[in-house]
Amino acid sequence: YINDFIELQKIRLTNPDIIRFEVIGDYKNVNIPPLLLIPFIENAFKHGDITENGSIRIIIELIGKEMFFRIDNKINQNNKDESSGIGIENVKRRLSLIYNKYYDLDIKEESNLYSVQLNISKL
């Protein structure tokens, strides 16, 4: 689903090369709950700089029963809106309910870069 979403988003870009998506490890037998990663990816396209000077980097690494997810994007200040959605808050609640103490979520906004790092130690 994530790959299809990214490919769909690339269609609307003048330079789809600003997107880097990489999956490391064997994902074929790994089940990730629905709507866990996609809100972060959607936000990168909604609020990120998708111009020629922009960049979005998405990395999912799977090692055994562990998952390391990272997404970085340049921020487009013109795409910032005053309303805030509930997507990220829902993800935080879902993580807490499903993974309890077996995850670490770090969200940072520095200068013109937004980054999310999610590590789950027991998938």
Side-chain angles (χ1 to χ4, degrees):
Y1 178 81
I2 291 171
N3 190 56
D4 290 344
F5 179 83
I6 292 169
E7 290 302 314
L8 184 63
Q9 293 300 315
K10 283 182 176 181
I11 293 170
R12 62 188 203 120
L13 301 177
T14 56
N15 180 11
D17 293 334
I18 67 166
I19 310 301
R20 186 176 134 212
F21 176 51
E22 184 176 1
V23 178
I24 303 165
D26 184 16
Y27 62 89
K28 293 192 185 339
N29 294 319
V30 175
N31 291 316
I32 298 171
L35 302 175
L36 195 62
L37 304 179
I38 201 69
F40 299 118
I41 297 168
E42 287 175 343
N43 282 354
F45 283 95
K46 180 179 178 183
H47 302 291
D49 183 355
I50 56 173
T51 66
E52 296 288 324
N53 299 322
S55 70
I56 297 176
R57 180 181 68 152
I58 306 163
I59 300 172
I60 302 171
E61 184 174 5
L62 300 156
I63 303 171
K65 293 288 185 184
E66 295 182 86
M67 181 189 72
F68 305 93
F69 169 78
R70 180 166 181 112
I71 184 165
D72 301 303
N73 63 274
K74 286 186 179 179
I75 298 170
N76 183 346
Q77 297 300 331
N78 297 329
N79 281 351
K80 292 199 92 162
D81 55 18
E82 297 302 317
S83 65
S84 63
I86 58 170
I88 302 303
E89 289 305 314
N90 283 342
V91 170
K92 288 178 181 178
R93 278 187 249 140
R94 193 173 296 116
L95 284 166
S96 180
L97 288 170
I98 297 170
Y99 295 108
N100 193 6
K101 60 185 177 201
Y102 298 106
Y103 79 94
D104 181 46
L105 176 64
D106 186 29
I107 300 173
K108 292 181 183 170
E109 184 175 340
E110 297 173 345
S111 185
N112 68 341
L113 184 67
Y114 188 83
S115 67
V116 174
Q117 185 166 331
L118 171 62
N119 301 331
I120 299 175
S121 60
K122 288 191 178 184
L123 281 179

